[in-house]
Every structure is written in structure tokens, then in C-alpha cells.
């Protein structure tokens, strides 16, 4: 099973499931809260690797507060069941722009080596692989990467948009959104001002949830709180 995490589900990618805060009706999606990618990947890693890792990493997993991470990320054990046959995890732009990317890489190193999950879309250091294959039994037990404690998850209340770089998905003058987004943000017109920029409302029936999408090059994590004013 090929699973994408950190790629907008409106993109055409050859995967079985998209994991992303934005949900679309015509794709198999598992959703979670913005900025929760670190927590979700930590939970994935523990699920697939806990019984196979060195003691020091197992101790880390034992102390990890799964209940808090599941609750705050809006991700659950039923979602884990949906990807039980995972063999390839495709990493998208959102992960690369995440402020805790270095800690996420540590989880991905563990998932790749001990979970035997192929990781695509990001370069890993392969820290667990022995430098000399002939000394593998000696070397591999000495190499351990323990992730840092996961920071408290940031809350994304209010009006939130996703900055998309693909003009095939959304045009520069558009605010792509669902009917839920229109209702949640009390939009009363076909044009709105989004942080000072004029956008035309374009409702996409297959788009679900309360996140809008705008065309913009993101230099940091692409979910942003904005001010929206009906014109």
C-alpha cells in the first residue's frame, strides 16, 4: 500500500490513501489537524516499529503520550488500521516545510529501518545502516537515534487557508473552498478580501472541511491563519 502524507489530495499522485488536513470526496483520505504531521508520523512509527527497536527507543515510545497525540491531532487507531498494509510512505511538501522537520526525520529513519517501510520524497541519512556490511552485527546495535519530545500541538482556530503552488489546482484570483468553509467564515459575497488580497470564491463540490485554498508560494508551513472580509 502506497500512502501519501503532506501532499494536497487534489494533486494527481499514484497512492492508495492521502493523509492530509484537507479532504476531498473522490479520494481515499485520512485527515488530521494542521501542524499535526509530527505527531501522526510518531504514532505511525510506534505502531509499526515498537517491538523491533533498540531498548532506548522503546523506552521513548513507552513514555510517549499516545492519548494526547491522538486527541490533539484528531487522528485515531481506526486510521492506523486503514493503513495496516503500508509498505511505501510518500512524503510531501508540507512535511518538508514543517518547523520540526529534523525530529520528523528521526521518526522516518526508525520507520524505514525497523518497520521496513520505504520512504519516498525526502532524503534520509540511513543512520541505522552499518557503514561496513561485513560488520553489520557489531555496528548496527551501536547506532541509535532517539527523537526529541513532541512539542505541544499548535491550534488553528479561525479562518485558515492552505497555500498551494499549483496553478492547475487554483488560480491566482481564486479562493477555492467548500460550502462548509463559506458557512464557517460567514461569507456573504462572491468576492472576498483575504489578508488584503481580492479573491473570487470558487466552491468545489468534492472539497470538504473548513480550509480554503489559495495560490501562493509557501516559504514556511503552508496552513496559515488569515482575515477574510466579504466585499
Amino acid at each position: 500500500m502506497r500512502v501519501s502524507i503532506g501532499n494536497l489530495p487534489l494533486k494527481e499522485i499514484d497512492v492508495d490513501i492521502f493523509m492530509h488536513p484537507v479532504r476531498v470526496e473522490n479520494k481515499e483520505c485520512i485527515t488530521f489537524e494542521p501542524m499535526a504531521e509530527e505527531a501522526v508520523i510518531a504514532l505511525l512509527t510506534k505502531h509499526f516499529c515498537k517491538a523491533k527497536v533498540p531498548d532506548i527507543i522503546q523506552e521513548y515510545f513507552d513514555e510517549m503520550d499516545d492519548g494526547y497525540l491522538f486527541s490533539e491531532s484528531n487522528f485515531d487507531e481506526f486510521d492506523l488500521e486503514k493503513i495496516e498494509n503500508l509498505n511505501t510512505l510518500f512524503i510531501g511538501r508540507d512535511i518538508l516545510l514543517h518547523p520540526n522537520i529534523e525530529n520528523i526525520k528521526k521518526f522516518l529513519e526508525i520507520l524505514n529501518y525497523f518497520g521496513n517501510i520505504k520512504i519516498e520524497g525526502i532524503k534520509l541519512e540511513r543512520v541505522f545502516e552499518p557503514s561496513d556490511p561485513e560488520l553489520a552485527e557489531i555496528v548496527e546495535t551501536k547506532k541509535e537515534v532517539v527523537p526529541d519530545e513532541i512539542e505541544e500541538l499548535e491550534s488553528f482556530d479561525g479562518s485558515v487557508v492552505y497555500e498551494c503552488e499549483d496553478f492547475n489546482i487554483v488560480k491566482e484570483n481564486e479562493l477555492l473552498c467548500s460550502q462548509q468553509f463559506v458557512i464557517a467564515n460567514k461569507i456573504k459575497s462572491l468576492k472576498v478580501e483575504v489578508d488584503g488580497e481580492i479573491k473570487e470564491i470558487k466552491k468545489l463540490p468534492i472539497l470538504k472541511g473548513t480550509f480554503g485554498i489559495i495560490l501562493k508560494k509557501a516559504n514556511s508551513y503552508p496552513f496559515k491563519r488569515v482575515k477574510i472580509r466579504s466585499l
Side-chain angles (χ1 to χ4, degrees):
M1 173 184 282
R2 286 176 57 83
V3 175
S4 160
I5 184 166
N7 287 294
L8 186 67
L10 289 170
K11 296 180 73 69
E12 293 301 324
I13 301 174
D14 182 23
V15 294
D16 300 294
I17 295 178
F18 282 88
M19 299 180 68
H20 197 269
V22 172
R23 181 167 67 89
V24 296
E25 201 171 56
N26 63 344
K27 304 262 181 83
E28 184 69 31
C29 296
I30 294 174
T31 58
F32 49 80
E33 295 297 317
M35 200 64 86
E37 289 86 354
E38 180 186 19
V40 170
I41 289 175
L43 290 164
L44 280 180
T45 304
K46 180 175 180 177
H47 178 75
F48 285 103
C49 304
K50 186 177 184 299
K52 309 170 187 176
V53 296
D55 290 346
I56 191 168
I57 298 177
Q58 195 167 74
E59 288 172 11
Y60 174 91
F61 285 141
D62 286 339
E63 294 175 5
M64 199 169 88
D65 190 346
D66 296 16
Y68 170 78
L69 297 179
F70 277 125
S71 175
E72 292 299 304
S73 63
N74 202 19
F75 176 77
D76 59 39
E77 292 175 336
F78 295 107
D79 294 323
L80 285 174
E81 290 178 7
K82 293 177 185 176
I83 57 172
E84 193 62 50
N85 296 320
L86 173 68
N87 55 46
T88 302
L89 188 63
F90 185 69
I91 304 300
R93 181 189 66 140
D94 300 4
I95 304 295
L96 303 179
L97 293 173
H98 196 286
N100 296 332
I101 178 60
E102 294 306 317
N103 205 42
I104 289 173
K105 282 182 181 178
K106 292 181 181 181
F107 288 113
L108 293 175
E109 294 276 7
I110 296 167
L111 185 61
N112 172 240
Y113 188 77
F114 295 103
N116 197 29
I117 304 296
K118 186 177 181 181
I119 308 295
E120 296 180 354
I122 188 172
K123 184 177 180 180
L124 299 178
E125 296 179 15
R126 312 291 180 186
V127 295
F128 293 104
E129 293 182 4
S131 54
D132 185 345
E134 293 184 6
L135 300 176
E137 292 184 3
I138 298 174
V139 176
E140 67 181 7
T141 58
K142 300 294 184 183
K143 294 191 173 183
E144 299 166 336
V145 174
V146 182
D148 298 325
E149 185 177 348
I150 298 170
E151 295 180 6
E152 185 174 338
L153 273 63
E154 184 178 346
S155 175
F156 276 76
D157 296 326
S159 301
V160 178
V161 298
Y162 178 83
E163 296 175 343
C164 174
E165 298 180 353
D166 191 341
F167 62 85
N168 292 310
I169 292 176
V170 59
K171 307 303 180 189
E172 187 173 2
N173 66 333
E174 293 176 342
L175 171 57
L176 195 63
C177 62
S178 65
Q179 178 63 24
Q180 292 166 278
F181 181 90
V182 170
I183 294 171
N185 290 279
K186 301 178 181 178
I187 295 172
K188 307 292 185 183
S189 60
L190 296 178
K191 287 189 176 183
V192 294
E193 186 178 84
V194 182
D195 278 359
E197 296 183 4
I198 307 301
K199 303 287 185 183
E200 294 181 4
I201 294 294
K202 182 180 178 182
K203 288 189 282 186
L204 188 64
I206 62 170
L207 190 60
K208 303 300 176 183
T210 56
F211 304 121
I213 300 172
I214 61 173
L215 183 69
K216 191 170 185 179
K217 181 174 176 59
N219 296 314
S220 58
Y221 188 72
F223 281 93
K224 301 289 171 57
R225 296 186 192 87
V226 295
K227 291 183 180 180
I228 296 178
R229 184 172 68 89
S230 296
L231 297 177

